[in-house]
């Protein structure tokens, strides 16, 4: 299982990459392997506000539909439109091609509450 | 099993071949263009398949042999109550007086049908412990929506306009949050505790002045009885909310416990499940909704009433949420449910519940040695195993389900409820014999052993069906929904 060291992780298996005042968000390698083949990704719209721990979208796999829980709060400034046509990116490249949204943080201290790669690896071990 | 390829009906088509003969026309022919506006006239002939009656018969008979239904084998699909549908129901539904009615016939000429509807309403009132019932909704989810619209109308009639939230447990059936959303509510999830029941502390946290209702199925989708139901009712009622009972799981408590007595205000029933309407690729459903007295004014209209021995449709209901289905619901399914209730009688219905619960507990105990049992308590009509142990060996719940096909079984419900990892949800129903249950259990045990000793045979299953593993991913990502003729 791939868990890049430079990212932070939420309990709901989202990864967060800090880019100044903004963060880029996606789901972890572990999450995509648990979900199986992703067939549809539903994302918010640019300009939407998302709230920490609340759903901001969903991913549908052949098995199930799962909500995406916001790891931080803020305003959506970019979404990955390519996932509309290529949901398989989530399985093939969860940390690069399958980033989902870029969010302008409303409270940057929320990032510090997220897990480090080591902590996240510990959590998914069980 | 049939291995050979079955062509599509379109591929069996031969130009000019006909499989029908129509009688001489006995009315004068009129040009279509005189009857229909131009925009509605097609320019080309539709490309319908052309085949003889015998070709068509063989084609569909061959397809039907590939089907699986309760009449062909065990069907332990959790949360679906795939019990046997007695053929007596079919006979009664085909009585001329039922099958040949026209929905616009005068009431005086359909008194028998109205009597049946009235009596069915009365029976369902008694079975659920509610005060009045509508037979209109076409299935469970439609009943949920109807019930929630009534709850909404109730709050609004009380000037209570801020009740915008419906609470559902995390183990709820997907239709619950979906119906709440379609009815214009926001859904809030309550967590389950370590016993698989609604977490009362969490419930207390989420109820409030904005609570319109709590939706609950009891037993819940884990097959566990929500034993704190009276306390939950108190919490929700205390905050001014209503309690909605998803009666899809009534098979577990019928004639033993009544939602009305547990404190529920609105109930929907799935007559196509508990009361033996054919379902699962079969006929339509029926999802009657029962309510307590304070919600009666909001019921859909019409309701069948009885005055001086005469039955009639009562349309004089000014606060009604209106009609929720053309005409009077899926009448044919209601005839079947009525027949079932009258055939079984009160003691029969009680026995149904007892055997449904006994069968499920028997299977659960025999399987618990080989599969993980996340909630180790008595279950009601169904139980949920987890394929976690097999997953460690590289065998997923999906693989186990596919392997069951090799033995001629319809697999259980999988990956639901969502709060159990690798869930396998088994509902045997009361109509299966111990021999059938044992045979299925033995196969499940064999598969558990295969997962340890020979995992490929499970991972690559099914081996004996007409088609093997389907490419579900491509089917979902790039669906081809229309037949296209090869050029
Ligand atoms: C618990 C539960 N609720 C609601 C429903 C929805 O019923 P229907 O499929 O008739 O709309 C089901 C259906 O299986 C169910 O199991």
């Amino acid at each position: 299982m791939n868990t890049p060291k430079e990212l932070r992780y939420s309990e709901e298996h989202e990864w967060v990459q800090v880019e100044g005042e903004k963060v880029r968000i996606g789901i972890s390698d572990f999450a995509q392997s648990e979900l199986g083949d992703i067939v549809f990704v539903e994302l918010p719209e640019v300009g939407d506000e998302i709230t920490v721990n609340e759903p901001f979208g969903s991913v549908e796999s052949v098995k199930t539909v799962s909500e995406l829980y916001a790891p931080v709060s803020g305003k959506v400034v970019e979404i990955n439109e390519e996932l509309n046509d290529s949901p398989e990116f989530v399985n093939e490249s969860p940390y690069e091609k399958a980033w989902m949204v870029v969010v302008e943080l409303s409270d940057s201290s929320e990032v510090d509450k997220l897990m480090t790669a080591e902590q996240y690896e510990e959590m998914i071990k069980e | 099993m049939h291995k050979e390829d079955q062509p599509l009906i379109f591929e069996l088509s031969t130009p000019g071949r006909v499989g029908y003969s129509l009688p001489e026309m006995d009315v004068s022919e009129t040009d279509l263009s005189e009857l229909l506006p131009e925009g509605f006239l097609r320019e080309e002939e539709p490309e319908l398949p052309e085949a003889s009656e015998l070709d068509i018969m063989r084609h569909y008979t061959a397809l039907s042999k590939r089907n699986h239904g309760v009449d062909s084998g065990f069907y332990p699909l959790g949360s679906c109550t795939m019990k046997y549908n007695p053929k007596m129901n079919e006979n009664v539904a085909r009585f001329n007086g039922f099958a040949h009615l026209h929905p616009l016939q005068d009431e005086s000429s359909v008194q028998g049908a109205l009597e049946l509807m009235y009596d069915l309403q009365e029976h369902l009132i008694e079975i659920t412990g509610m005060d009045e019932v509508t037979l209109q909704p076409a299935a469970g989810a439609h009943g949920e929506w109807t019930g929630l619209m009534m709850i909404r109308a109730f709050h609004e009639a009380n000037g209570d306009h801020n009740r915008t939230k419906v609470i559902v447990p995390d183990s709820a059936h997907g239709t619950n949050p979906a119906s709440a959303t379609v009815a214009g509510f926001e859904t809030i999830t309550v967590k389950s505790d370590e016993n698989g029941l609604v977490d009362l502390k969490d419930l207390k946290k989420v109820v409030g002045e904005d609570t319109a209702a709590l939706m609950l199925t009891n037993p819940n989708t884990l097959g566990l009885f929500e034993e704190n139901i009276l306390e939950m009712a108190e919490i929700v009622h205390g905050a001014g909310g209503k309690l909605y009972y998803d009666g899809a799981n009534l098979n577990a408590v019928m004639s033993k416990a009544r939602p009305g007595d547990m404190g529920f205000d609105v109930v929907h029933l799935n007559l196509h499940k508990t009361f033996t309407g054919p379902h699962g690729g079969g006929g339509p459903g029926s999802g009657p909704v029962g309510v307590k007295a304070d919600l009666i004014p909001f019921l859909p209209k019409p309701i069948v009433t009885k005055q001086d021995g005469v039955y009639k449709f009562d349309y004089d209901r000014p606060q009604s949420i209106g009609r929720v289905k053309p005409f009077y619901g899926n009448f044919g399914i209601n005839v079947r449910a009525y027949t079932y209730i009258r055939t079984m009688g009160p003691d029969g219905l009680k026995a149904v519940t007892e055997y449904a619960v006994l069968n499920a507990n028997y299977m659960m105990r025999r399987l618990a040695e080989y599969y993980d049992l996340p909630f180790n308590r008595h279950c009601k009509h169904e139980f949920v195993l987890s394929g976690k142990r097999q997953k460690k060996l590289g065998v997923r719940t999906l693989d186990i389900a596919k392997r069951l096909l090799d033995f001629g079984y319809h697999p259980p419900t999988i990956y639901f409820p969502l709060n159990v990892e690798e869930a396998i949800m088994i509902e045997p129903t009361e109509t299966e014999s111990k021999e059938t249950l044992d045979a299925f259990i033995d196969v499940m045990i064999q598969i558990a052993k295969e997962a340890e000793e020979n995992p490929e045979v499970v991972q690559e299953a099914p081996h004996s069906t007409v088609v093997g593993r389907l490419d579900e991913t491509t089917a979902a990502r790039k669906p081809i929904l229309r037949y296209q003729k090869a050029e």
Side-chain angles (χ1 to χ4, degrees), chain B residues 125-334:
Chain B
I125 287 169
E126 186 179 338
I127 289 169
T128 55
M130 307 307 279
D131 295 319
E132 188 58 275
V133 161
T134 169
L135 300 177
Q136 273 185 36
H142 192 198
E144 291 169 29
W145 176 82
T146 303
L148 289 166
M149 291 305 280
M150 285 191 265
I151 290 176
R152 205 181 140 138
F154 169 85
H155 288 312
E156 281 175 8
N158 288 339
D160 220 349
H161 297 290
N162 298 322
R163 298 198 174 267
T164 52
K165 294 188 177 148
V166 168
I167 303 169
V168 293
D170 58 2
S171 62
H173 194 263
T175 51
N176 292 183
S179 307
T181 305
V182 176
F185 293 105
E186 192 185 324
T187 56
I188 307 284
T189 308
V190 269
K191 294 205 183 68
S192 305
D193 64 14
E194 65 284 356
N195 298 318
L197 304 178
V198 169
D199 187 330
L200 289 184
K201 274 198 266 41
D202 203 39
L203 178 64
K204 281 186 192 141
K205 254 192 277 171
V206 296
V207 290
E209 284 173 4
D210 56 1
T211 302
L214 167 70
M215 294 182 89
L216 198 70
T217 176
N218 198 12
N220 63 26
T221 60
L222 295 164
L224 305 177
F225 192 79
E226 295 280 356
E227 52 201 21
N228 303 318
I229 182 58
L230 295 177
E231 201 175 338
M232 289 162 74
E234 227 175 272
I235 296 171
V236 175
H237 286 151
K242 290 284 179 197
L243 229 65
Y244 183 97
Y245 185 83
D246 174 342
N249 292 340
L250 196 77
N251 216 43
V253 293
M254 184 169 49
S255 294
K256 289 279 176 184
R258 306 193 307 171
D261 301 332
M262 296 180 210
F264 286 95
D265 303 287
V266 187
V267 172
H268 88 258
L269 299 177
N270 280 3
L271 297 191
H272 46 294
K273 289 158 72 168
T274 317
F275 297 93
T276 62
H279 68 297
S286 178
V289 174
V291 294
K292 287 274 176 68
D294 53 355
L295 285 150
I296 290 178
F298 309 101
L299 280 167
K301 61 184 176 185
I303 297 279
V304 182
T305 54
K306 180 181 180 183
Q307 257 166 19
D308 308 324
V310 178
Y311 298 93
K312 67 179 206 76
F313 287 121
D314 174 14
Y315 285 92
D316 183 19
R317 311 182 67 84
Q319 283 185 289
S320 164
I321 60 165
R323 221 188 243 289
V324 299
K325 181 160 189 323
F327 301 118
Y328 320 109
N330 284 328
F331 178 72
I333 300 304
N334 295 341

